[in-house]
Each structure stands twice: as C-alpha cells, then as structure tokens.
Amino acid sequence: AQKVTQAQTEISVVEKEDVTLDCVYETRDTTYYLFWYKQPPSGELVFLIRRNSFDEQNEISGRYSWNFQKSTSSFNFTITASQVVDSAVYFCALSEDTGGFKTIFGAGTRLFVKA
Amino acid sequence: EPEVTQTPSHQVTQMGQEVILRCVPISNHLYFYWYRQILGQKVEFLVSFYNNEISEKSEIFDDQFSVERPDGSNFTLKIRSTKLEDSAMYFCASKFQGLGDADTQYFGPGTRLTVL
C-alpha cells in the first residue's frame, strides 16, 4: 500500500537559514511519482516538483533543491537561505502508476520562517 | 496558462442539506479527482473519475457522496445530507493522461465547506 511519512510536524527557522524537510515513502510499485506541494495560508496547493521513480537525479530550482534516494525511499526538500515568504505547510505526495493514479499525501510539515 | 477552477470558493450550509461543489477541469484532461482536507490535517483522496465512471474511491466516499460530469466541462461532487464532519476544504484536480505516464495532477483553489 502507498504511504508517505513526513515526520517533522513543525519547523521553525530564522530567515536566511537553510532548512530540510524530510519525506519517506512506501510503495510496492516499480513505477511511481513523487511530488512536493506548498500550501500557503491562503489554502491553495502550489505544485513545486514531480519526480518519477526512474529519475534519481537531484534537482535544483533557485533556492529549492530536492534529494531523491530510492535506496532509502526518501525524497527530501531543502530550502536554502529561507525567507519569510517560505512560511507555509509543505506536503510530500506519492502517486502510483496504477488504477486511477490517485495521489497520497503526507501529513505535511509546517514551516515558520522568522524575520 | 490553463487552470482548474472551482465554485463556490466558500459554501456554508445547514446540517442535513445537500450541497453540490463544482469544478471545471483543464479542457484536454481525462482524469478527474476530488480530495478533502479537514482543517489542519492532510489532504485525503476521495474519488477518481475516468471515462465517465468512478475508477477508484476511498473509504471516505460513502453513499452520501456522488460525482458527475454532467457536460463536457463541469465535474461535480454532491454530498446528499451534510454532516458536521463534512466541513473541510474540497479540492478538485485533473490530469491529462494515465497509462504509463502519470502526469501531474493540477489542483483547483478549493471550496471551503462549512456545515453548521
């Protein structure tokens, strides 16, 4: 069965600090997709990144970077030089390449960035 | 850029009333979804819909819930007799294609349902 675990419920950092949000997943499929979404206080889900199971290459996008390691079933997200605008809830999610391709979300990590 | 839209943005209803939440998916998408997020909790899958029928549903999606694609553009979620615990944000999502290529699901902005 699919499962996504985000062990960090809340993280608080001071502006300009780097922060890493952890995500561990479980799946029986060999083909699957991993996502990160940001949910600001306004409530919408903002898509950040998608990774498929065959592509373990890490990715960097500006201050954001993602580390995908199949050996440990982890897909961690790092924000470099955090800013107050990064304050939000971040969800890691998993979608398997079967059935209706539903997305299973982790419980989310609430990030507070203080000025 | 195409986007998923949802109406209304906020719906307040009395317990026991029926509500219909509306979504307009991205026009060339083939898979449609509803998710629910109770305040402060994680986003939970409700149902997926493909080729005019439900392809998968969760335990949450009981007989009180139904989905419909009444025309070529709208995708609706109906709750027949709302309960207090149905109060949540409901997200619609759509995706272009399925087999072998689970493209990103694009989420709408959500409808906040408040049941009094």
mmCIF file of all heavy atoms in Angstrom, chain A residues 42-72:
data_model
loop_
_atom_site.group_PDB
_atom_site.id
_atom_site.type_symbol
_atom_site.label_atom_id
_atom_site.label_comp_id
_atom_site.label_asym_id
_atom_site.label_seq_id
_atom_site.Cartn_x
_atom_site.Cartn_y
_atom_site.Cartn_z
ATOM 1 N N SER A 42 -3.266 31.034 2.461
ATOM 2 C CA SER A 42 -4.466 31.226 1.640
ATOM 3 C C SER A 42 -5.142 29.899 1.272
ATOM 4 O O SER A 42 -6.299 29.896 0.859
ATOM 5 C CB SER A 42 -4.122 32.002 0.372
ATOM 6 O OG SER A 42 -3.004 31.419 -0.267
ATOM 7 N N GLY A 43 -4.450 28.787 1.422
ATOM 8 C CA GLY A 43 -5.089 27.477 1.305
ATOM 9 C C GLY A 43 -4.902 26.701 0.018
ATOM 10 O O GLY A 43 -5.184 25.506 -0.024
ATOM 11 N N GLU A 44 -4.478 27.355 -1.042
ATOM 12 C CA GLU A 44 -4.352 26.600 -2.290
ATOM 13 C C GLU A 44 -3.132 25.699 -2.254
ATOM 14 O O GLU A 44 -2.227 25.885 -1.458
ATOM 15 C CB GLU A 44 -4.286 27.548 -3.504
ATOM 16 C CG GLU A 44 -2.989 28.304 -3.647
ATOM 17 C CD GLU A 44 -2.955 29.616 -2.917
ATOM 18 O OE1 GLU A 44 -3.707 29.770 -1.926
ATOM 19 O OE2 GLU A 44 -2.152 30.482 -3.317
ATOM 20 N N LEU A 45 -3.111 24.710 -3.123
ATOM 21 C CA LEU A 45 -1.976 23.793 -3.232
ATOM 22 C C LEU A 45 -1.127 24.239 -4.425
ATOM 23 O O LEU A 45 -1.587 24.232 -5.559
ATOM 24 C CB LEU A 45 -2.460 22.368 -3.432
ATOM 25 C CG LEU A 45 -3.115 21.711 -2.226
ATOM 26 C CD1 LEU A 45 -3.793 20.417 -2.633
ATOM 27 C CD2 LEU A 45 -2.080 21.451 -1.137
ATOM 28 N N VAL A 46 0.109 24.567 -4.135
ATOM 29 C CA VAL A 46 1.004 25.050 -5.179
ATOM 30 C C VAL A 46 1.989 23.937 -5.514
ATOM 31 O O VAL A 46 2.760 23.494 -4.665
ATOM 32 C CB VAL A 46 1.764 26.313 -4.709
ATOM 33 C CG1 VAL A 46 2.715 26.792 -5.801
ATOM 34 C CG2 VAL A 46 0.782 27.414 -4.323
ATOM 35 N N PHE A 47 1.962 23.482 -6.749
ATOM 36 C CA PHE A 47 2.855 22.421 -7.203
ATOM 37 C C PHE A 47 4.289 22.939 -7.242
ATOM 38 O O PHE A 47 4.558 24.016 -7.782
ATOM 39 C CB PHE A 47 2.415 21.962 -8.593
ATOM 40 C CG PHE A 47 3.405 21.100 -9.315
ATOM 41 C CD1 PHE A 47 3.579 19.781 -8.961
ATOM 42 C CD2 PHE A 47 4.153 21.629 -10.358
ATOM 43 C CE1 PHE A 47 4.494 18.993 -9.638
ATOM 44 C CE2 PHE A 47 5.062 20.843 -11.038
ATOM 45 C CZ PHE A 47 5.236 19.520 -10.683
ATOM 46 N N LEU A 48 5.218 22.166 -6.676
ATOM 47 C CA LEU A 48 6.622 22.560 -6.685
ATOM 48 C C LEU A 48 7.449 21.672 -7.608
ATOM 49 O O LEU A 48 8.250 22.172 -8.395
ATOM 50 C CB LEU A 48 7.198 22.497 -5.266
ATOM 51 C CG LEU A 48 6.595 23.469 -4.244
ATOM 52 C CD1 LEU A 48 7.235 23.250 -2.874
ATOM 53 C CD2 LEU A 48 6.767 24.912 -4.703
ATOM 54 N N ILE A 49 7.278 20.346 -7.475
ATOM 55 C CA ILE A 49 8.114 19.463 -8.271
ATOM 56 C C ILE A 49 7.469 18.095 -8.403
ATOM 57 O O ILE A 49 6.708 17.674 -7.531
ATOM 58 C CB ILE A 49 9.516 19.296 -7.645
ATOM 59 C CG1 ILE A 49 10.443 18.544 -8.629
ATOM 60 C CG2 ILE A 49 9.441 18.593 -6.302
ATOM 61 C CD1 ILE A 49 11.894 18.508 -8.202
ATOM 62 N N ARG A 50 7.768 17.398 -9.489
ATOM 63 C CA ARG A 50 7.413 15.996 -9.697
ATOM 64 C C ARG A 50 8.678 15.236 -10.071
ATOM 65 O O ARG A 50 9.502 15.724 -10.838
ATOM 66 C CB ARG A 50 6.403 15.855 -10.829
ATOM 67 C CG ARG A 50 5.989 14.416 -11.080
ATOM 68 C CD ARG A 50 5.221 14.266 -12.369
ATOM 69 N NE ARG A 50 6.127 14.258 -13.523
ATOM 70 C CZ ARG A 50 5.708 14.403 -14.765
ATOM 71 N NH1 ARG A 50 4.446 14.596 -15.015
ATOM 72 N NH2 ARG A 50 6.574 14.375 -15.755
ATOM 73 N N ARG A 51 8.798 14.058 -9.510
ATOM 74 C CA ARG A 51 9.913 13.174 -9.844
ATOM 75 C C ARG A 51 9.353 11.802 -10.139
ATOM 76 O O ARG A 51 8.516 11.300 -9.389
ATOM 77 C CB ARG A 51 10.883 13.053 -8.667
ATOM 78 C CG ARG A 51 12.095 13.920 -8.741
ATOM 79 C CD ARG A 51 13.063 13.350 -9.742
ATOM 80 N NE ARG A 51 14.202 14.196 -9.983
ATOM 81 C CZ ARG A 51 14.228 15.100 -10.966
ATOM 82 N NH1 ARG A 51 13.183 15.283 -11.716
ATOM 83 N NH2 ARG A 51 15.308 15.794 -11.188
ATOM 84 N N ASN A 52 9.807 11.138 -11.221
ATOM 85 C CA ASN A 52 9.365 9.763 -11.421
ATOM 86 C C ASN A 52 10.403 8.799 -10.872
ATOM 87 O O ASN A 52 11.562 9.152 -10.680
ATOM 88 C CB ASN A 52 9.014 9.490 -12.881
ATOM 89 C CG ASN A 52 10.228 9.440 -13.768
ATOM 90 O OD1 ASN A 52 11.187 8.738 -13.457
ATOM 91 N ND2 ASN A 52 10.202 10.158 -14.860
ATOM 92 N N SER A 53 10.009 7.575 -10.671
ATOM 93 C CA SER A 53 10.839 6.601 -9.963
ATOM 94 C C SER A 53 12.089 6.215 -10.722
ATOM 95 O O SER A 53 13.014 5.631 -10.164
ATOM 96 C CB SER A 53 10.016 5.352 -9.641
ATOM 97 O OG SER A 53 9.376 4.856 -10.808
ATOM 98 N N PHE A 54 12.127 6.511 -12.017
ATOM 99 C CA PHE A 54 13.301 6.137 -12.808
ATOM 100 C C PHE A 54 14.343 7.250 -12.872
ATOM 101 O O PHE A 54 15.400 7.069 -13.482
ATOM 102 C CB PHE A 54 12.871 5.776 -14.231
ATOM 103 C CG PHE A 54 11.909 4.617 -14.261
ATOM 104 C CD1 PHE A 54 10.611 4.776 -14.699
ATOM 105 C CD2 PHE A 54 12.313 3.359 -13.834
ATOM 106 C CE1 PHE A 54 9.729 3.717 -14.709
ATOM 107 C CE2 PHE A 54 11.435 2.295 -13.839
ATOM 108 C CZ PHE A 54 10.138 2.474 -14.282
ATOM 109 N N ASP A 55 14.037 8.350 -12.256
ATOM 110 C CA ASP A 55 14.927 9.504 -12.363
ATOM 111 C C ASP A 55 15.379 9.936 -10.975
ATOM 112 O O ASP A 55 14.681 10.687 -10.305
ATOM 113 C CB ASP A 55 14.196 10.649 -13.070
ATOM 114 C CG ASP A 55 15.081 11.863 -13.250
ATOM 115 O OD1 ASP A 55 16.286 11.792 -12.896
ATOM 116 O OD2 ASP A 55 14.574 12.883 -13.737
ATOM 117 N N GLU A 56 16.537 9.446 -10.575
ATOM 118 C CA GLU A 56 17.044 9.775 -9.246
ATOM 119 C C GLU A 56 17.923 11.013 -9.245
ATOM 120 O O GLU A 56 18.519 11.350 -8.239
ATOM 121 C CB GLU A 56 17.841 8.597 -8.672
ATOM 122 C CG GLU A 56 16.972 7.505 -8.107
ATOM 123 C CD GLU A 56 17.771 6.524 -7.270
ATOM 124 O OE1 GLU A 56 18.094 6.854 -6.124
ATOM 125 O OE2 GLU A 56 18.080 5.426 -7.774
ATOM 126 N N GLN A 57 17.989 11.663 -10.362
ATOM 127 C CA GLN A 57 18.821 12.861 -10.424
ATOM 128 C C GLN A 57 18.257 13.932 -9.508
ATOM 129 O O GLN A 57 17.064 14.210 -9.518
ATOM 130 C CB GLN A 57 18.839 13.372 -11.867
ATOM 131 C CG GLN A 57 19.892 14.396 -12.158
ATOM 132 C CD GLN A 57 20.003 14.655 -13.651
ATOM 133 O OE1 GLN A 57 19.077 14.383 -14.398
ATOM 134 N NE2 GLN A 57 21.123 15.175 -14.093
ATOM 135 N N ASN A 58 19.123 14.512 -8.706
ATOM 136 C CA ASN A 58 18.667 15.590 -7.846
ATOM 137 C C ASN A 58 18.401 16.839 -8.667
ATOM 138 O O ASN A 58 18.940 17.013 -9.767
ATOM 139 C CB ASN A 58 19.704 15.870 -6.760
ATOM 140 C CG ASN A 58 19.807 14.718 -5.785
ATOM 141 O OD1 ASN A 58 18.835 14.024 -5.525
ATOM 142 N ND2 ASN A 58 20.995 14.499 -5.250
ATOM 143 N N GLU A 59 17.566 17.685 -8.125
ATOM 144 C CA GLU A 59 17.176 18.868 -8.885
ATOM 145 C C GLU A 59 17.298 20.114 -8.029
ATOM 146 O O GLU A 59 17.060 20.088 -6.820
ATOM 147 C CB GLU A 59 15.732 18.720 -9.379
ATOM 148 C CG GLU A 59 15.263 19.904 -10.208
ATOM 149 C CD GLU A 59 14.107 19.563 -11.116
ATOM 150 O OE1 GLU A 59 13.942 18.378 -11.460
ATOM 151 O OE2 GLU A 59 13.365 20.484 -11.469
ATOM 152 N N ILE A 60 17.701 21.177 -8.686
ATOM 153 C CA ILE A 60 17.796 22.468 -8.023
ATOM 154 C C ILE A 60 17.006 23.470 -8.834
ATOM 155 O O ILE A 60 17.091 23.517 -10.067
ATOM 156 C CB ILE A 60 19.268 22.938 -7.924
ATOM 157 C CG1 ILE A 60 20.090 21.960 -7.082
ATOM 158 C CG2 ILE A 60 19.343 24.344 -7.327
ATOM 159 C CD1 ILE A 60 21.569 22.272 -7.038
ATOM 160 N N SER A 61 16.211 24.256 -8.113
ATOM 161 C CA SER A 61 15.452 25.320 -8.761
ATOM 162 C C SER A 61 15.538 26.542 -7.868
ATOM 163 O O SER A 61 14.815 26.657 -6.879
ATOM 164 C CB SER A 61 13.997 24.886 -8.964
ATOM 165 O OG SER A 61 13.242 25.941 -9.504
ATOM 166 N N GLY A 62 16.439 27.423 -8.208
ATOM 167 C CA GLY A 62 16.630 28.604 -7.378
ATOM 168 C C GLY A 62 17.100 28.229 -5.985
ATOM 169 O O GLY A 62 18.118 27.549 -5.816
ATOM 170 N N ARG A 63 16.331 28.603 -4.981
ATOM 171 C CA ARG A 63 16.703 28.296 -3.591
ATOM 172 C C ARG A 63 16.218 26.910 -3.171
ATOM 173 O O ARG A 63 16.490 26.471 -2.062
ATOM 174 C CB ARG A 63 16.099 29.349 -2.656
ATOM 175 C CG ARG A 63 16.651 30.752 -2.868
ATOM 176 C CD ARG A 63 16.101 31.733 -1.833
ATOM 177 N NE ARG A 63 14.662 31.900 -1.927
ATOM 178 C CZ ARG A 63 13.785 31.410 -1.056
ATOM 179 N NH1 ARG A 63 14.202 30.720 -0.004
ATOM 180 N NH2 ARG A 63 12.494 31.634 -1.209
ATOM 181 N N TYR A 64 15.466 26.240 -4.042
ATOM 182 C CA TYR A 64 14.896 24.936 -3.716
ATOM 183 C C TYR A 64 15.763 23.829 -4.310
ATOM 184 O O TYR A 64 16.230 23.940 -5.456
ATOM 185 C CB TYR A 64 13.490 24.800 -4.300
ATOM 186 C CG TYR A 64 12.441 25.726 -3.750
ATOM 187 C CD1 TYR A 64 11.207 25.836 -4.376
ATOM 188 C CD2 TYR A 64 12.655 26.497 -2.615
ATOM 189 C CE1 TYR A 64 10.208 26.660 -3.885
ATOM 190 C CE2 TYR A 64 11.671 27.328 -2.122
ATOM 191 C CZ TYR A 64 10.449 27.403 -2.761
ATOM 192 O OH TYR A 64 9.467 28.227 -2.275
ATOM 193 N N SER A 65 15.916 22.756 -3.567
ATOM 194 C CA SER A 65 16.579 21.575 -4.114
ATOM 195 C C SER A 65 15.924 20.332 -3.526
ATOM 196 O O SER A 65 15.356 20.368 -2.439
ATOM 197 C CB SER A 65 18.086 21.596 -3.815
ATOM 198 O OG SER A 65 18.322 21.579 -2.428
ATOM 199 N N TRP A 66 16.013 19.251 -4.299
ATOM 200 C CA TRP A 66 15.370 18.011 -3.900
ATOM 201 C C TRP A 66 16.369 16.874 -4.028
ATOM 202 O O TRP A 66 17.118 16.784 -5.009
ATOM 203 C CB TRP A 66 14.150 17.716 -4.784
ATOM 204 C CG TRP A 66 13.038 18.678 -4.549
ATOM 205 C CD1 TRP A 66 12.023 18.553 -3.661
ATOM 206 C CD2 TRP A 66 12.832 19.932 -5.208
ATOM 207 N NE1 TRP A 66 11.200 19.655 -3.733
ATOM 208 C CE2 TRP A 66 11.663 20.506 -4.658
ATOM 209 C CE3 TRP A 66 13.510 20.627 -6.208
ATOM 210 C CZ2 TRP A 66 11.167 21.733 -5.072
ATOM 211 C CZ3 TRP A 66 13.025 21.859 -6.624
ATOM 212 C CH2 TRP A 66 11.864 22.403 -6.060
ATOM 213 N N ASN A 67 16.347 16.004 -3.033
ATOM 214 C CA ASN A 67 17.241 14.860 -2.993
ATOM 215 C C ASN A 67 16.401 13.588 -2.967
ATOM 216 O O ASN A 67 15.738 13.291 -1.975
ATOM 217 C CB ASN A 67 18.122 14.953 -1.734
ATOM 218 C CG ASN A 67 19.157 13.859 -1.684
ATOM 219 O OD1 ASN A 67 18.910 12.742 -2.111
ATOM 220 N ND2 ASN A 67 20.332 14.165 -1.177
ATOM 221 N N PHE A 68 16.437 12.856 -4.068
ATOM 222 C CA PHE A 68 15.642 11.631 -4.215
ATOM 223 C C PHE A 68 16.586 10.443 -4.077
ATOM 224 O O PHE A 68 17.527 10.305 -4.866
ATOM 225 C CB PHE A 68 14.955 11.637 -5.573
ATOM 226 C CG PHE A 68 14.174 10.391 -5.905
ATOM 227 C CD1 PHE A 68 13.627 9.582 -4.918
ATOM 228 C CD2 PHE A 68 13.974 10.033 -7.233
ATOM 229 C CE1 PHE A 68 12.904 8.440 -5.235
ATOM 230 C CE2 PHE A 68 13.249 8.894 -7.567
ATOM 231 C CZ PHE A 68 12.716 8.106 -6.564
ATOM 232 N N GLN A 69 16.337 9.583 -3.107
ATOM 233 C CA GLN A 69 17.155 8.393 -2.914
ATOM 234 C C GLN A 69 16.260 7.168 -2.796
ATOM 235 O O GLN A 69 15.601 6.968 -1.767
ATOM 236 C CB GLN A 69 18.024 8.539 -1.663
ATOM 237 C CG GLN A 69 19.048 9.650 -1.771
ATOM 238 C CD GLN A 69 20.235 9.446 -0.842
ATOM 239 O OE1 GLN A 69 20.224 8.552 -0.006
ATOM 240 N NE2 GLN A 69 21.250 10.274 -1.004
ATOM 241 N N LYS A 70 16.248 6.353 -3.842
ATOM 242 C CA LYS A 70 15.413 5.148 -3.825
ATOM 243 C C LYS A 70 15.890 4.159 -2.777
ATOM 244 O O LYS A 70 15.092 3.423 -2.207
ATOM 245 C CB LYS A 70 15.415 4.493 -5.208
ATOM 246 C CG LYS A 70 14.575 5.238 -6.223
ATOM 247 C CD LYS A 70 14.650 4.610 -7.578
ATOM 248 C CE LYS A 70 13.823 3.353 -7.663
ATOM 249 N NZ LYS A 70 13.704 2.870 -9.045
ATOM 250 N N SER A 71 17.180 4.123 -2.518
ATOM 251 C CA SER A 71 17.716 3.146 -1.568
ATOM 252 C C SER A 71 17.143 3.328 -0.175
ATOM 253 O O SER A 71 17.008 2.373 0.588
ATOM 254 C CB SER A 71 19.248 3.236 -1.516
ATOM 255 O OG SER A 71 19.652 4.529 -1.101
ATOM 256 N N THR A 72 16.799 4.551 0.157
ATOM 257 C CA THR A 72 16.223 4.838 1.480
ATOM 258 C C THR A 72 14.765 5.280 1.376
ATOM 259 O O THR A 72 14.165 5.672 2.377
ATOM 260 C CB THR A 72 17.025 5.932 2.202
ATOM 261 O OG1 THR A 72 17.079 7.095 1.355
ATOM 262 C CG2 THR A 72 18.433 5.468 2.527
#
